[in-house]
Amino acid sequence: TGSLGQGLSIGNGMALAARLDNLKYRVFVLMGDGELQEGQVWEAAMTAAKYKITNLTAIVDYNKLAQDSFTKDLKNLEPLKDKWETFGWKVIRIDGHDMKQVVKALKSKAHSEKPRIIIADTVKGKGVSFMENNQSWHGVAPKDEDYQKALEELL
């Protein structure tokens, strides 16, 4: 949901609304790790744990790159799993490039009293030599020749 970090708060509201309306749907919030630099995310994390919002699943694309820097150089997020557990969440950490792990995590049974978060360890631009782990490609569309070169490497 972007650099302002409002998505988890919105997800909390949607999940609580389902509870109030006796609806059985689940809410998923996808966040980038750069977004975790925002205090609002951690306020929302505490709120979700306090109200035991068990129909909420957050997913963090943990590629260790924010828009213009490595996340460790902004505010180090490690130990990320421990932080979420301390905030009262059930944590599932996976290889975000392994679709079997992704599907298994998404299908996993919800905790009876805790929201859950899937920390998906990834590499930005994985599989494309000139894009892999390169922050200069964040939010930049490739030119035609870069696109063709990337396709060749991926296929």
Side-chain angles (χ1 to χ4, degrees):
T1 53
S3 60
L4 296 178
Q6 298 169 332
L8 192 56
S9 294
I10 294 165
N12 281 349
M14 296 170 83
L16 284 170
R19 181 189 296 171
L20 290 171
D21 291 339
N22 290 315
L23 299 172
K24 301 295 178 197
Y25 62 79
R26 292 169 58 187
V27 176
F28 296 87
V29 176
L30 179 60
M31 300 182 289
D33 52 358
E35 192 171 348
L36 300 185
Q37 303 291 331
E38 294 292 341
Q40 179 164 327
V41 171
W42 299 102
E43 291 173 12
M46 288 187 287
T47 299
K50 174 184 169 77
Y51 292 105
K52 300 177 181 174
I53 306 177
T54 60
N55 60 331
L56 175 67
T57 299
I59 306 160
V60 174
D61 176 13
Y62 195 31
N63 59 36
K64 290 101 181 148
L65 279 168
Q67 186 165 354
D68 57 0
S69 185
F70 289 93
T71 54
K72 69 178 175 58
D73 296 333
L74 296 168
K75 289 182 266 227
N76 195 354
L77 296 170
E78 288 298 333
L80 190 56
K81 181 178 186 285
D82 295 344
K83 286 178 182 171
W84 284 97
E85 287 174 342
T86 299
F87 272 74
W89 286 61
K90 175 186 176 186
V91 179
I92 303 167
R93 193 155 191 176
I94 63 168
D95 174 350
H97 299 291
D98 182 332
M99 285 310 296
K100 287 182 182 179
Q101 288 184 37
V102 172
V103 171
K104 182 179 178 183
L106 290 171
K107 287 184 173 183
S108 68
K109 186 177 180 197
H111 191 279
S112 63
E113 295 190 9
K114 295 180 179 184
R116 79 175 139 187
I117 184 161
I118 300 167
I119 300 172
D121 288 297
T122 62
V123 174
K124 185 180 270 313
K126 183 163 177 69
V128 179
S129 63
F130 58 94
M131 291 181 173
E132 198 165 295
N133 212 30
N134 183 343
Q135 67 192 40
S136 66
W137 282 98
H138 186 95
V140 176
K143 295 179 178 153
D144 288 338
E145 60 270 13
D146 294 327
Y147 172 73
Q148 290 303 321
K149 186 176 176 186
L151 276 180
E152 289 172 17
E153 290 188 25
L154 291 170
L155 300 175

